[in-house]
Amino acid sequence: MTLSTASDPLAELSAAGVSVWLDDLSRELLARGELKEVIADKHVVGVTTNPTIFASALSRGDRYSEQLRRLAREGVSVDDAVLALTSDDVRAACQALGPVHLQTGGSDGRVSIEVDPRLARDTDATIGQARKLWETVDRPNLLVKIPATSEGLAAITRVIAEGISVNVTLVFSLERYRAVMDAYLTGLERAKAAGHDLADIHSVASFFVSRVDTEVDRRLDALGTPEAQALKGKAAIANARLAHQAYQELTAGSRWQALVAAGARRQRPLWASTGVKNPAYPDTMYVSELVIAGTVNTMPGATLAAFADHGALPARTPAADVYAGATAHFEALERVGVDFTDVTDTLEREGLVKFEDSWTELTASVDREMRAAATDESGTLQASPKKASGGADLLAIYLNDHLSGATAGLELFRRAAQTQQYREQGTTLAELAHEVEQDRDSLTQIMADLAVPTAYTKVALGWLTEKAGRAKPNGHLFSRSPLSDVLELESMLLSVQGKAACWRSLRALAETDGRLFVEHLDILVERADRQSAVLERLRLAAVESAFRCTQPSV
């Protein structure tokens, strides 16, 4: 695709009819005025959030501490505390985007807040929390995020019928997207019958992008054929373009036109998950390739900054030949053996699990902070049994040893991901490196919860050990050989197995130590087991590649 550079790429993106939204929110962002800055300088006209974003926000800085102390004194439950924290931030963001909301007639200036993802399979519970969020935030520019599960579709119709604006999230397949649009139209028809002003009801459908390439590329790598390799990095854009074609077909239909005549607003396609996960791909490709007027692109901060720096717009918008090319790509995927229906089903399941895990981490963090606040008030530690000093000392040594190993392991994963970035397993290793970094952060937080001081000399030693380990013999003195991959993957596998043992040890202690959180440790154990399985698959593939040989001649 021919691209044209721009002196202000985000301004040109906005002028092309794409609404630029930021996929991030935190109290730090609000307090330091950064949200107002990106609204003023980066053409940002909306904000999206999710459980992962809020869990990350709570881990940064101490701007939530005072509110958590107050909530602890008031005896508020953990779930209600989470609602208070998140709704306060979203309300403040709605306030910051209020002028944009007025200027755009309500189309933009929107801020999203998600229902508890644990309710995604419960229609009635999702409806109940959507109502609660709508009433609690109490701002006209709010969007309540509801996952596009089969149960979520019924909830979407019912809350739209009540006049609640919705951001439908976790949409991966064309079939599900069409069902989402139908749910929206049905809700509008019911809202009209109930006497609601349709002009006050807004919606976007968040069609996820980059995760599609991640999963499809993984399957293409497993196939390993030249035909499969040639198809990598194209499924996500093709899927999104066909989604927009489906949107155009629906909005051209008589059913939609009847609602337009009654004042209805379009449910705009929103391109979500637009951060590029494979470093081999251009870091702005999920923005540049989806410049379509009347759509929304919500970007994480790094993607927003990248596009502002060197983003480019296409020479033309998608036309019939582009849609035909997208269709042909999926036909090619089917021919090489990729079941795209299974891909999207897998992505929906994994997306829900990731959000549920983040929600569990969020609630565990809030619980931990509230307990700490209660301790500060009373001068005693709640639900924390006394321990013999010898046991505490041994635990400190044990955890610091694991922290040193985690530091070395993280460096190893980062190096492997960088080394392999242009090879088949590069995307997988990059994702694992990100998870390993999160795991190390979890360990440091657990150590803080247990009042275990960090032995920085051990941490530094772990870092140096990994650097020195690069000199391991592999048959090549100054370059990599096929044996390098085997040894590297075995080292990473041993690192993850050691981490899993640590999580299981802490999980056993959590039965009697109120400072540890069983649910969080269960997530960490499960994630380590999954990481081990992925690494073992990569290791066996590397073994096959390194040691495959013909019989020696005689």
Side-chain angles (χ1 to χ4, degrees):
M1 180 176 290
T2 303
L3 299 175
S4 60
T5 58
S7 58
D8 188 348
L10 288 170
E12 290 206 0
L13 182 65
S14 179
V18 177
S19 291
V20 178
W21 289 12
L22 176 66
D23 192 29
D24 191 18
L25 183 64
S26 70
R27 202 156 290 185
E28 287 286 312
L29 195 70
L30 291 162
R32 294 200 302 260
E34 292 179 30
L35 180 57
K36 290 185 177 180
E37 287 178 9
V38 297
I39 293 170
D41 302 334
K42 303 297 183 185
H43 310 279
V44 168
V45 293
V47 168
T48 50
T49 68
N50 59 48
T52 302
I53 286 172
F54 280 124
S56 175
L58 195 67
S59 69
R60 303 196 298 265
D62 58 358
R63 294 189 183 274
Y64 296 91
S65 300
E66 182 178 346
Q67 184 177 9
L68 284 169
R69 283 194 293 268
R70 175 176 58 78
L71 293 171
R73 286 195 301 269
E74 295 172 357
V76 172
S77 70
V78 173
D79 285 345
D80 285 345
V82 170
L83 175 63
L85 295 174
T86 57
S87 61
D88 283 357
D89 283 2
V90 167
R91 190 182 303 107
C94 285
Q95 183 71 22
L97 282 157
V100 175
H101 181 244
L102 291 175
Q103 291 163 10
T104 61
S107 293
D108 286 311
R110 295 274 163 183
V111 185
S112 299
I113 187 170
E114 187 149 358
V115 299
D116 183 339
R118 296 172 298 183
L119 308 178
R121 301 296 184 187
D122 188 330
T123 299
D124 290 337
T126 295
I127 293 168
Q129 196 180 49
R131 291 168 178 158
K132 187 172 186 180
L133 290 169
W134 185 254
E135 294 167 359
T136 301
V137 176
D138 193 25
R139 291 294 184 273
N141 49 336
L142 178 71
L143 291 173
V144 178
K145 290 181 78 173
I146 299 177
T149 59
S150 54
E151 297 84 356
L153 294 174
I156 290 159
T157 292
R158 286 172 59 181
V159 299
I160 288 290
E162 295 177 15
I164 297 173
S165 295
V166 175
N167 176 346
V168 185
T169 188
L170 286 177
V171 185
F172 293 101
S173 73
L174 294 178
E175 180 182 8
R176 185 58 54 87
Y177 179 46
R178 291 188 179 98
V180 166
M181 291 189 288
D182 179 75
Y184 178 57
L185 266 61
T186 302
L188 289 177
E189 288 163 348
R190 294 181 185 179
K192 178 185 174 184
H196 289 286
D197 185 350
L198 299 190
D200 292 336
I201 303 173
H202 291 259
S203 183
V204 294
S206 294
F207 203 85
F208 278 52
V209 184
S210 67
R211 296 187 193 182
V212 171
D213 271 343
T214 299
E215 180 62 19
V216 170
D217 285 1
R218 183 186 69 78
R219 298 183 185 211
L220 292 171
D221 283 340
L223 291 169
T225 64
E227 294 81 5
Q229 293 301 301
L231 297 174
K232 288 179 62 177
K234 302 173 183 177
I237 298 298
N239 197 38
R241 286 177 176 160
L242 291 179
H244 187 259
Q245 183 184 40
Y247 166 78
Q248 288 182 312
E249 291 169 354
L250 178 134
T251 53
S254 59
R255 184 182 179 195
W256 171 249
Q257 294 303 320
L259 288 167
V260 170
R265 307 279 193 141
R266 295 191 179 203
Q267 183 188 55
R268 291 182 294 172
L270 180 149
W271 313 125
S273 182
T274 55
V276 175
K277 295 177 173 59
N278 187 338
Y281 299 155
D283 58 0
T284 61
M285 66 180 283
Y286 298 125
V287 182
S288 294
E289 297 288 342
L290 291 172
V291 180
I292 305 172
T295 65
V296 180
N297 196 307
T298 185
M299 310 177 207
T303 303
L304 183 75
F307 197 87
D309 178 67
H310 54 267
L313 272 63
R316 59 188 176 88
T317 56
D321 60 330
V322 176
Y323 299 139
T327 300
H329 181 74
F330 286 105
E331 292 171 350
L333 286 176
E334 185 177 3
R335 284 196 299 272
V336 299
V338 174
D339 182 347
F340 195 69
T341 298
D342 186 66
V343 167
T344 56
D345 288 347
T346 298
L347 289 171
E348 180 179 298
R349 288 194 305 271
E350 290 181 348
L352 287 172
V353 169
K354 287 179 181 179
F355 280 176
E356 288 174 9
D357 289 351
S358 295
W359 194 271
T360 299
E361 290 188 25
L362 174 61
T363 55
S365 297
V366 169
D367 191 13
R368 181 169 54 241
E369 294 289 336
M370 292 176 72
R371 291 189 190 204
T375 299
D376 292 341
E377 294 291 328
S378 65
T380 60
L381 185 61
Q382 304 296 319
S384 297
K386 293 183 179 179
K387 295 185 179 292
S389 59
D393 291 342
L394 291 175
L395 181 61
I397 294 170
Y398 176 78
L399 293 177
N400 272 291
D401 284 346
H402 272 284
L403 181 59
S404 176
T407 301
L410 176 57
E411 289 298 314
L412 176 60
F413 273 88
R414 285 172 171 169
R415 174 164 58 88
Q418 180 65 29
T419 302
Q420 306 288 345
Q421 63 175 307
Y422 299 113
R423 298 175 62 186
E424 295 177 6
Q425 61 266 44
T427 301
T428 302
L429 289 174
E431 292 178 346
L432 287 176
H434 179 65
E435 289 186 0
V436 168
E437 182 176 14
Q438 292 178 321
D439 292 341
R440 190 189 63 169
D441 291 345
S442 292
L443 179 56
T444 57
Q445 182 60 64
I446 288 169
M447 291 171 67
D449 294 341
L450 297 173
V452 172
T454 300
Y456 289 102
T457 54
K458 282 193 174 184
V459 174
L461 180 62
W463 184 83
L464 289 170
T465 298
E466 193 282 327
K467 301 301 181 188
R470 298 186 185 189
K472 290 178 181 178
N474 61 6
H476 289 226
L477 193 58
F478 295 109
S479 63
R480 293 179 64 86
S481 79
L483 186 56
S484 302
D485 292 344
V486 176
L487 295 173
E488 201 167 58
L489 286 162
E490 288 183 351
S491 296
M492 287 187 282
L493 181 58
L494 288 171
S495 172
V496 170
Q497 289 171 343
K499 174 176 64 180
C502 176
W503 298 146
R504 288 189 170 91
S505 297
L506 291 170
R507 175 63 175 80
L509 291 177
E511 297 295 339
T512 56
D513 192 328
R515 298 172 296 176
L516 293 167
F517 297 91
V518 170
E519 295 85 355
H520 188 203
L521 288 164
D522 284 341
I523 290 172
L524 294 173
V525 169
E526 181 181 355
R527 186 156 65 188
D529 289 343
R530 178 176 51 77
Q531 291 167 354
S532 293
V534 171
L535 288 168
E536 178 64 5
R537 174 174 58 81
L538 294 177
R539 187 189 72 84
L540 292 176
V543 167
E544 174 68 16
S545 176
F547 303 137
R548 184 192 302 115
C549 61
T550 59
Q551 293 295 324
S553 58
V554 293

